[in-house]
Amino acid sequence: MSWFDRLRRGLGRTREALTGEARPAPEPAPAETVDDAARPSDAAPVRAAGSAPTARSTTPAPPRRSVWEMDWDDLEFALIGADVGARIAAEVVAEAKKERERGTSFVESLEKALLDQLEADRMRQKLRRVGFDLRNVADKIVEPAGHVVMVVGVNGVGKTTTIAKLGQYYQRHGRSVAFAAGDTFRAAGSAQLGVWGERLGIPTQVGADGSDPGAVAYEAAAARRARGHDLLFVDTAGRLHTQHNLMEELKKVKRVIGKADPDEPKEVWLVMDAVTGQNGLQQAKRFHEAVGLTGVIVTKLDGTGKGGILLPIARELRLPIKFIGVGESAEDLQPYDAAAFVRALLDLPAEEPARA
């Protein structure tokens, strides 16, 4: 199954929440042909003697999934229900209305309005608008800036398994990868990533349960620098006694990485569970204030109708969405492409590959 098909399947719940009030769009009447105009409407078609009757199908053409529309109020409520948020939902509807007034179909108008919101990079948004082809994002490797990626997020979002999937992704693209199992405060948290490292053949710095995560991160960063690994992914704690203590611990881990490997980590990626919706957005803001996020990975989109949370992530946080996940397998985590996401959400066909 292609990644686009996986994505379309994974967004099924969000699509259902968004298009539950949709109805088939009225199709224009077929153009009248010369023969039809010349023949009385109640007369049978004339044919030469002995000739075979002309076959005329009475079965209507199957409806296209892309031909539907909604009332604007229903669309706005549906967007809010998908966790887009009231302000952004109103903006999407306003932009879609403007595009609709230009004669664009309802679905294409909505596609353009959603894409404008989901393209956090304003320059890329402008390039799309004037016709530049920015497709095939998933075919290009997501290149981290630097060598160390600190991965943060609350417990339960799939942080450790996401790191394992990232390791597989970068291995497939020829990168040498190392792990640091810094989630030492969670029972067996370090051991879990250690098992993944052993399965994947990825060297993993593991600390004992309850040990200092800063020490684990320091040793892993020093080893990466000495051995020349292309990438080090550092797992971190997701819960302490208070959120304040968690943020202070993450700040410390970031500082000690820089002591072992100067100017690192250049990347701090947040793993966010789509099921948490707006609550997850508030968590993201706190992580951003504490450690300066450089990207977001959204997981478990297949388990929720709240996939619209990607819009406020792109608009309010102004952070690039690096990867999205729609399932358990390694292939279900792929680079984020705003255009593919919108087309899969609206059940439109995948765009044709760009020609060289």
Side-chain angles (χ1 to χ4, degrees):
M1 182 183 294
S2 71
W3 162 240
F4 184 82
D5 288 334
R6 289 174 185 268
L7 180 59
R8 178 159 48 193
R9 181 187 62 185
L11 292 175
R13 292 189 181 184
T14 301
R15 184 185 311 113
E16 183 178 347
L18 181 61
T19 63
E21 298 298 323
R23 60 180 181 274
E27 299 213 8
E32 189 178 59
T33 66
V34 175
D35 289 343
D36 288 339
R39 184 169 61 242
S41 59
D42 58 347
V46 178
R47 59 185 175 87
S51 64
T54 304
R56 298 186 65 180
S57 173
T58 58
T59 304
R64 291 177 299 166
R65 287 173 294 186
S66 59
V67 183
W68 54 270
E69 60 184 27
M70 297 172 65
D71 293 332
W72 295 115
D73 287 346
D74 289 340
L75 174 61
E76 188 167 352
F77 287 135
L79 287 166
I80 293 171
D83 252 6
V84 167
R87 181 177 61 83
I88 296 177
E91 291 178 7
V92 170
V93 170
E95 287 302 314
K97 277 183 178 179
K98 289 179 185 177
E99 191 64 37
R100 188 78 175 94
E101 289 168 358
R102 298 187 184 103
T104 309
S105 72
F106 178 90
V107 176
E108 188 177 352
S109 299
L110 179 56
E111 179 189 8
K112 290 183 177 180
L114 289 171
L115 190 53
D116 271 358
Q117 296 285 339
L118 283 164
E119 190 66 86
D121 187 320
R122 298 294 102 179
M123 179 56 68
R124 284 178 60 85
Q125 184 189 100
K126 291 177 181 178
L127 290 173
R128 284 188 189 277
R129 285 177 173 173
V130 298
F132 278 83
D133 194 336
L134 302 177
R135 292 176 287 182
N136 300 332
V137 170
D139 295 337
K140 300 179 177 67
I141 187 171
V142 177
E143 293 283 6
H147 300 285
V148 180
V149 181
M150 185 173 163
V151 183
V152 302
V154 299
N155 283 353
V157 297
K159 194 163 68 268
T160 302
T161 53
T162 296
I163 290 173
K165 292 177 183 179
L166 289 171
Q168 289 175 280
Y169 170 81
Y170 284 103
Q171 279 184 322
R172 289 198 304 269
H173 288 87
R175 305 298 193 273
S176 59
V177 181
F179 291 156
D183 189 4
T184 58
F185 295 123
R186 179 168 61 91
S190 292
Q192 183 185 4
L193 189 58
V195 170
W196 275 114
E198 187 175 344
R199 288 178 185 173
L200 300 172
I202 294 176
T204 305
Q205 186 73 39
V206 178
D209 287 351
S211 63
D212 181 8
V216 174
Y218 181 91
E219 292 174 12
R224 186 221 67 80
R225 190 181 181 197
R227 297 168 185 166
H229 288 117
D230 296 321
L231 289 171
L232 168 66
F233 289 96
V234 181
D235 197 3
T236 58
R239 182 175 66 85
L240 293 181
H241 296 300
T242 68
Q243 285 292 82
H244 173 74
N245 285 347
L246 172 60
M247 298 308 166
E248 291 304 313
E249 186 64 41
L250 294 176
K251 289 177 185 177
K252 184 185 82 171
V253 170
K254 187 176 182 182
R255 286 196 302 271
V256 301
I257 290 173
K259 291 178 180 178
D261 200 348
D263 299 322
E264 298 288 354
K266 285 191 169 67
E267 298 276 15
V268 181
W269 292 353
L270 171 74
V271 178
M272 179 176 166
D273 182 344
V275 177
T276 60
Q278 292 288 329
N279 289 334
L281 185 66
Q282 298 308 312
Q283 293 169 3
K285 290 178 179 178
R286 289 195 290 271
F287 278 104
H288 195 26
E289 291 169 1
V291 292
L293 301 175
T294 61
V296 179
I297 299 171
V298 184
T299 63
K300 305 181 184 180
L301 279 164
D302 56 316
T304 181
K306 298 180 178 181
I309 192 61
L310 268 69
L311 278 79
I313 291 174
R315 283 296 307 280
E316 294 182 21
L317 296 181
R318 296 290 184 187
L319 290 170
I321 300 170
K322 299 291 188 176
F323 294 84
I324 56 176
V326 293
E328 296 297 325
S329 73
E331 291 75 20
D332 289 328
L333 182 76
Q334 292 289 337
Y336 168 71
D337 176 3
F341 178 86
V342 173
R343 293 189 71 82
L345 177 62
L346 298 180
D347 211 9
L348 297 169
E351 290 182 312
E352 293 295 326
R355 295 181 179 177

